[in-house]
Amino acid sequence: MTAPHLVEVNRYPFSKEALADIRGNVYAGTNWPLVYILSNGGSRQAYIGETTDTLTRLSTHLKHDEKQLLTTVHLISSERFNKSATLDIESGLIKYMAADGAFSLLNGNLGLVDHNYYQKDELYTRVFKAAWDKLRAEGVAKHSLESIDNSDVFKYSPYKSLSRDQRQSLLGLLYALLDEKVENLVVEGGAGTGKSVLAIFLFKLLNAKEVELNLHSFSDEEKELEELLGKLREVYPQPKMALVVPMTSFRNTLKKAFRNVSGLKADMVISPSELAQQNYDIVLVDESHRLRKRTNLGAYFGAFDKACSTLGLDKHVCSELHWVCKQSAKAIFFYDENQSIKPSDANSTDFARLKAASSTQVQILSSQFRVRAGQPFVKFVDDLLNVRLQTGKRFRSGHYEFKLFDSIEEMVRVVREKNDQFGLSRLIAGYAWPWISKTKTSEYDIEIDGVQLRWNRTNTDWINASGADSEVGCIHTTQGYDLNYTGIIFGNEIQYDKDRDTIIIDKEKYFDRNGKQGIQDPQALKQYILNIYKTIMLRGIRGTFVYACHESLRDYLKEHIPVHTHTTPGSELSASAVKLLPHVNAVPFYDLEVAAGDFGNLQRQPDHEKEWIVVPEHVRVSEALFACRVIGESMNRIIPNGSTCLFRKALGGSRNGKIVLVECMNDAEPGSRYTVKDYESVKIQQEDGWYHKVIRLNPRSNDKTFESLELSEDQALQYQVVGEFVQVLD
């Protein structure tokens, strides 16, 4: 079947009279599963749904107060559709149309889930793209899928499928909102753990006029969540809420996201100073580590003092954190102490007192959603900047680009290439150069080895600004944002002392005046600057590139970051550019960290939908080989944490003494379903012979706290060996 026939999009008036014509549609008239879009071009509102009983569902919508005002229905149908496919395409359309902006959606944000089903990637991804193209032709959608993928409105839309970690946190937040004893909640999580997504999801959930409770993604928690929402509607039928965002640029970005969502308004996203204008039932604070106190505020001193006076607070001892607590019946703070980057940020001791209060609950988010290299990369960066890595230890990942550059010119070139290829690739630097071009626009701010660069020309939404790809951003224009690739420039303010084996800071070469003024303790300044570099190094979804101006720091980083190999036109292709030939020079790579299904399902994916990686020339490639990344320290005597390893499919035979990849059949949690251990079979002699009674899965670690997992004969049935270790690839 050719692409034009994969899917049909048919348009009808949305009215009782038009139901007769709709009955004539072969799919609508025969109870075939399909997806529909109701819309009104005048009010620019729309609703997306899926059904196997089109006529009954549309008749019900015609009786609905809001939906009966919609004027057009588009039926999206295909002979290939099944229930799983229509649920998935419905979710996809809700997410993409919400970010597209052509219509404001009446949908609630629950029920969105990433379904796995037969031929999802092989066929239905093409079906979705074909349907989107037809909807663009109909004027229902405006933008390409690729442009939406890179938009902040899409990334910060409340129409998201929450992870298990986020779903559990959401339930905890709802319970806390119903608990009269709880006044404040602190949700702690590092960069990229989905704090902003959870905050916006919760905000939409509590502000929706009518939530469509198709809780597909909540499975076992569906009834629990439904009951909580019912109770919350009784307590907060029309809650007065605000989302406080301290950083101006990020606040404007979230305002844009709120404009495209029915039930939400841009003025619901406010600055801390706007809290003084009224009290709220519930206040959510994103990036709450950037709430300020009365230190190095520059032009903001006046507004800060005025708000303190209005609220009756002592300006010399309070911070914006206290404003939130005073002006809200319930406050939820999304917080990461390690992203506090300047002395004007509220004291960590204030948050410590808040967390210790009996009226406060604390929750932890740990899953990493931004950086494809996951939580191991976050820990590696932290250890790298705090000089805690063993000599020569490098970060290894088969699907994340982490490179050190000897040439700033080469890094600039590669980042621009990545921007041409993927979009949203930017240069970011520490504040090691004054901002000359702010007033002298023709001047350059940064010069390194003859390469001249300018700081960002705007502070507002710089990531998406025209010309940003040829400028250099800083912490203030990038914190809170996602990028595909980042090129990080370590300035001369940060250096490495080889004799003392420590990072040192040259205060005179750090030019953020408000970031250092009044700091007497060198360690305090060092911590702020380390937090800055850690934060900007965790912006890149696909990769992070690094250049260090100071030679001693560059030499230190070389011990731990793979060095980029410069290629010139006509030269031999680097390993990363070698053409991938499945089962010839490449093997499939399976991301077991996020795999919730069984290993057999991963292997049954069609080859063109798998991720492939090149293997060394000496490896004799066969279809039995595959690769995956091994996370953890339990095998670090043989396999370093984060290594990409080659495995051979388990084909039976003796495994005693071999390193194996084991799947736990009863544990469906992503990231904990699989383990790599040394296999030991223990036989016990009895009167009538030897019996295979115990299997041990043994660690091989320098950390003695790891213990063997001992399985009885019955317990062993719940574990399946799916691969035998061949070698570490990188």
Side-chain angles (χ1 to χ4, degrees):
M1 179 177 287
T2 58
H5 298 103
L6 278 174
V7 64
E8 295 180 17
V9 176
N10 294 290
R11 177 176 181 166
Y12 302 90
F14 183 50
S15 64
K16 292 180 181 179
E17 295 74 21
L19 290 180
D21 290 336
I22 294 173
R23 184 176 286 107
N25 182 289
V26 64
Y27 297 103
T30 57
N31 290 341
W32 193 262
L34 54 74
V35 181
Y36 59 91
I37 301 174
L38 308 178
S39 62
N40 184 322
S43 66
R44 310 309 297 172
Q45 289 188 311
Y47 178 83
I48 301 166
E50 62 80 33
T51 184
T52 56
D53 189 353
T54 305
L55 295 171
T56 300
R57 180 67 60 84
L58 295 182
S59 296
T60 301
H61 289 328
L62 283 168
K63 300 173 185 176
H64 187 276
D65 289 344
E66 285 186 304
K67 294 169 191 168
Q68 67 175 337
L69 301 177
L70 304 177
T71 57
T72 303
V73 57
H74 284 86
L75 300 184
I76 303 167
S77 54
S78 170
E79 65 181 28
R80 307 293 188 97
F81 276 178
N82 53 54
K83 185 68 172 179
S84 292
T86 54
L87 284 169
D88 196 47
I89 290 171
E90 175 200 32
S91 291
L93 286 174
I94 290 172
K95 288 185 280 192
Y96 278 93
M97 283 190 64
D100 179 62
F103 290 90
S104 177
L105 297 187
L106 299 176
N107 293 75
N109 56 328
L110 294 179
L112 303 188
V113 62
D114 294 322
H115 300 268
N116 275 320
Y117 51 91
Y118 178 62
Q119 288 191 315
K120 173 181 178 178
D121 294 325
E122 179 183 3
L123 175 62
Y124 290 100
T125 297
R126 290 191 292 125
V127 170
F128 185 84
K129 290 178 178 178
W132 188 261
D133 288 342
K134 290 178 181 292
L135 291 172
R136 291 181 75 186
E138 289 280 331
V140 180
K142 295 188 298 185
H143 299 91
S144 69
L145 294 174
E146 293 79 9
S147 67
I148 294 174
D149 281 334
N150 276 338
S151 71
D152 288 316
V153 174
F154 180 69
K155 292 172 184 175
Y156 299 110
S157 164
Y159 296 103
K160 294 291 183 182
S161 304
L162 298 186
S163 71
R164 174 130 188 114
D165 193 17
Q166 290 170 316
R167 295 201 303 267
Q168 289 300 310
S169 185
L170 176 67
L171 289 171
L173 293 174
L174 297 180
Y175 274 113
L177 289 173
L178 288 168
D179 190 337
E180 294 180 356
K181 298 178 182 178
V182 176
E183 296 177 2
N184 301 298
L185 300 96
V186 179
V187 181
E188 293 190 286
T193 52
K195 298 185 297 298
S196 296
V197 168
L198 181 57
I200 296 167
F201 188 99
L202 177 61
F203 202 98
K204 164 64 176 171
L205 180 63
L206 297 178
N207 274 276
K209 294 179 181 178
E210 176 184 345
V211 177
E212 300 291 329
L213 290 176
N214 302 315
L215 308 180
H216 313 303
S217 61
F218 286 82
S219 58
D220 294 340
E221 302 96 2
E222 177 177 338
K223 184 176 181 181
E224 182 181 9
L225 180 60
E226 192 169 359
E227 290 175 353
L228 286 171
L229 289 174
K231 293 177 181 178
L232 278 166
R233 288 195 193 94
E234 294 177 5
V235 178
Y236 303 107
Q238 291 183 312
K240 185 184 294 183
M241 292 180 63
L243 176 62
V244 174
V245 183
M247 300 105 73
T248 302
S249 179
F250 193 43
R251 182 165 64 246
N252 290 335
T253 295
L254 295 189
K255 282 179 177 287
K256 287 195 297 184
F258 271 44
R259 288 190 188 100
N260 288 336
V261 181
S262 179
L264 301 185
K265 299 178 181 178
D267 60 10
M268 292 176 170
V269 183
I270 67 172
S271 67
S273 62
E274 292 177 89
L275 283 166
Q277 298 174 10
Q278 59 180 310
N279 294 97
Y280 293 89
D281 297 316
I282 302 170
V283 171
L284 284 70
V285 187
D286 198 15
E287 307 283 343
S288 61
H289 36 271
R290 298 304 318 280
L291 292 171
R292 288 162 291 187
K293 61 178 182 287
R294 198 179 189 275
T295 301
N296 295 5
L297 294 179
Y300 185 58
F301 268 118
F304 185 92
D305 291 352
K306 182 179 179 181
C308 289
S309 176
T310 301
L311 297 174
L313 296 171
D314 186 343
K315 64 185 180 182
H316 297 294
V317 297
C318 80
S319 69
E320 292 173 341
L321 169 64
H322 299 96
W323 302 359
V324 176
C325 294
K326 184 174 178 62
Q327 293 298 93
S328 59
K330 299 272 189 178
I332 303 176
F333 299 89
F334 294 87
Y335 178 66
D336 178 12
E337 181 180 352
N338 292 321
Q339 289 193 63
S340 177
I341 53 96
K342 59 196 305 186
S344 60
D345 293 342
N347 296 324
S348 60
T349 53
D350 288 344
F351 281 98
R353 281 193 289 270
L354 179 70
K355 290 188 289 183
S358 60
S359 59
T360 300
Q361 281 191 9
V362 179
Q363 296 188 21
I364 306 295
L365 286 174
S366 57
S367 300
Q368 172 60 227
F369 299 104
R370 177 185 295 129
V371 179
R372 284 188 175 180
Q375 195 61 32
F377 181 73
V378 178
K379 183 178 185 303
F380 184 89
V381 169
D382 187 52
D383 289 342
L384 176 73
L385 296 176
N386 287 284
V387 195
R388 292 194 294 254
L389 296 172
Q390 296 176 359
T391 301
K393 181 169 182 177
R394 292 170 177 260
F395 183 78
R396 304 171 185 273
S397 174
H399 57 293
Y400 191 78
E401 293 187 67
F402 186 39
K403 299 290 184 182
L404 179 73
F405 284 72
D406 277 322
S407 163
I408 184 66
E409 182 179 16
E410 176 69 359
M411 189 174 82
V412 170
R413 182 187 68 80
V414 171
V415 171
R416 288 176 179 171
E417 281 185 355
K418 295 297 185 183
N419 189 64
D420 291 339
Q421 184 177 3
F422 298 100
L424 284 181
S425 300
R426 301 287 184 266
L427 295 168
I428 313 173
Y431 215 140
W433 295 268
W435 191 3
I436 299 170
S437 64
K438 183 177 183 179
T439 54
K440 300 178 181 179
T441 56
S442 62
E443 297 288 328
Y444 290 94
D445 305 293
I446 301 168
E447 182 168 350
I448 306 170
D449 294 340
V451 175
Q452 294 180 314
L453 300 164
R454 288 190 180 93
W455 283 120
N456 44 267
R457 295 172 189 258
T458 178
N459 284 326
T460 303
D461 199 22
W462 171 75
I463 291 294
N464 302 298
S466 175
D469 56 334
S470 62
E471 299 171 354
V472 181
C474 65
I475 181 65
H476 305 306
T477 51
T478 57
Q479 190 170 20
Y481 288 92
D482 293 347
L483 293 165
N484 285 320
Y485 285 89
T486 56
I488 308 299
I489 304 173
F490 282 74
N492 278 307
E493 89 286 17
I494 183 168
Q495 305 168 14
Y496 174 73
D497 187 323
K498 185 175 182 180
D499 294 333
R500 294 162 53 199
D501 189 29
T502 188
I503 297 288
I504 59 174
I505 299 299
D506 185 341
K507 183 177 180 179
E508 299 305 314
K509 295 178 180 176
Y510 181 54
F511 289 92
D512 188 348
R513 183 170 58 86
N514 290 330
K516 68 178 181 179
Q517 187 176 354
I519 298 179
Q520 303 301 322
D521 181 4
Q523 283 301 118
L525 179 62
K526 175 180 175 179
Q527 192 57 59
Y528 282 127
I529 292 176
L530 290 181
N531 284 355
I532 287 171
Y533 278 105
K534 180 179 178 181
T535 300
I536 62 178
M537 286 182 74
L538 299 178
R539 299 296 102 194
I541 297 169
R542 297 172 177 268
T544 300
F545 304 139
V546 175
Y547 176 83
C549 291
H550 203 272
E551 185 177 0
S552 66
L553 180 62
R554 192 158 62 244
D555 289 341
Y556 164 69
L557 295 177
K558 281 182 180 178
E559 292 183 24
H560 305 291
I561 306 176
V563 177
H564 170 78
T565 302
H566 177 70
T567 58
T568 56
S571 67
E572 185 177 353
L573 290 176
S574 65
S576 62
V578 171
K579 183 177 181 180
L580 294 170
L581 301 173
H583 306 306
V584 177
N585 68 348
V587 299
F589 176 88
Y590 301 125
D591 189 349
L592 301 183
E593 276 192 284
V594 298
D598 64 67
F599 192 75
N601 285 339
L602 294 176
Q603 292 181 306
R604 284 191 289 271
Q605 287 179 329
D607 283 353
H608 70 274
E609 297 294 344
K610 292 177 181 176
E611 183 175 354
W612 295 84
I613 63 171
V614 172
V615 297
E617 292 183 2
H618 70 270
V619 174
R620 185 175 180 181
V621 179
S622 73
E623 294 192 10
L625 296 179
F626 64 93
C628 61
R629 187 155 52 90
V630 178
I631 303 301
E633 301 288 351
S634 67
M635 294 294 292
N636 64 18
R637 284 163 48 189
I638 302 166
I639 304 173
N641 184 7
S643 297
T644 299
C645 296
L646 189 66
F647 291 86
R648 181 174 288 106
K649 295 178 187 177
L651 300 176
S654 174
R655 303 179 180 112
N656 200 30
K658 296 180 179 180
I659 297 173
V660 294
L661 172 63
V662 179
E663 179 180 10
C664 176
M665 308 306 291
N666 276 348
D667 189 354
E669 284 299 307
S672 61
R673 187 181 179 97
Y674 301 93
T675 186
V676 176
K677 293 291 185 293
D678 222 337
Y679 187 99
E680 180 187 6
S681 175
V682 181
K683 295 184 179 180
I684 301 174
Q685 186 178 19
Q686 295 184 350
E687 293 182 0
D688 54 348
W690 290 86
Y691 287 86
H692 179 92
K693 284 294 183 182
V694 175
I695 290 174
R696 291 196 185 102
L697 300 177
N698 298 315
R700 293 289 181 260
S701 177
N702 294 316
D703 184 345
K704 302 303 181 183
T705 61
F706 286 100
E707 297 179 352
S708 298
L709 176 61
E710 190 167 293
L711 307 174
S712 67
E713 194 169 17
D714 290 337
Q715 289 173 324
L717 296 176
Q718 304 302 321
Y719 290 79
Q720 177 182 347
V721 175
V722 296
E724 296 179 0
F725 173 76
V726 177
Q727 70 173 80
V728 174
L729 290 178
D730 65 14

